[in-house]
Amino acid sequence: MADLAPLRTCSNEAEFNAFLVQIADEITKEEMLKMKFRCMYLDSNLPRGPLEAIEEPREFVNFLRRRDIIFPGNVGFLMTLLDETGNKRLANMVGERGKQTFQFTIITCAFNGLGTR
């Protein structure tokens, strides 16, 4: 019998990425700029040049995703950024939908050292 775990993972990854697109579409440019500022000036260990070049919320969320700052098992950093820039509604939505759909654990993180997988 074939192992279906990789298929479930791929499906979950695809669903998670689609979820992130929905979230990014609700982030305003003003909120994104605040989120970038938090990342750049609080020693988050993210490469500053590529981060400064980001102009759209989708690019920003994808940037965090590509660097494994957010992934199906953890969106704590994204929730913290949203919450601290004033979008508590979206932060709560990320947490609730994530727990229900992706069963991820919300791990809070300090800005001075991002945890990855």
Side-chain angles (χ1 to χ4, degrees), residues 2 6 29 32 41 48-50 74 79 82 85-86 92 101 105 109-110 115:
K29 282 194 178 186
M32 182 205 62
Y41 294 102
R48 190 174 179 144
N74 180 21
M79 287 178 56
L82 289 165
T85 56
N92 290 335
T101 307
T105 305
C109 57

Side-chain angles (χ1 to χ4, degrees), residues 4-20 65 71-74 97-105 117:
L4 298 179
L7 293 176
R8 273 186 244 125
T9 301
C10 290
S11 174
N12 196 33
E13 292 279 329
E15 286 178 59
F16 182 70
N17 290 335
F19 173 65
L20 291 179
R65 176 75 171 110
F71 51 91
N74 180 21
R97 169 100 189 275
K99 283 188 279 187
Q100 292 171 2
T101 307
F102 305 106
Q103 290 88 39
F104 44 63
T105 305
R117 294 182 194 194

Side-chain angles (χ1 to χ4, degrees), residues 8-100:
R8 273 186 244 125
T9 301
C10 290
S11 174
N12 196 33
E13 292 279 329
E15 286 178 59
F16 182 70
N17 290 335
F19 173 65
L20 291 179
V21 168
Q22 292 174 339
I23 296 304
D25 286 346
E26 294 209 30
I27 297 171
T28 67
K29 282 194 178 186
E30 182 181 323
E31 289 167 338
M32 182 205 62
L33 291 172
K34 290 177 185 178
M35 293 166 78
K36 281 176 42 176
F37 177 83
R38 301 283 299 159
C39 290
M40 284 190 287
Y41 294 102
L42 294 174
D43 189 26
S44 66
N45 299 320
L46 292 171
R48 190 174 179 144
L51 186 57
E52 288 176 338
I54 294 170
E55 296 182 3
E56 297 294 327
R58 280 189 183 191
E59 288 177 273
F60 178 72
V61 171
N62 190 40
F63 174 84
L64 296 176
R65 176 75 171 110
R66 283 191 325 264
R67 283 162 178 77
D68 280 337
I69 303 302
I70 54 177
F71 51 91
N74 180 21
V75 291
F77 186 74
L78 179 60
M79 287 178 56
T80 299
L81 287 174
L82 289 165
D83 187 58
E84 290 185 359
T85 56
N87 198 332
K88 294 184 187 315
R89 180 194 63 80
L90 197 53
N92 290 335
M93 187 175 107
V94 168
E96 288 306 310
R97 169 100 189 275
K99 283 188 279 187
Q100 292 171 2

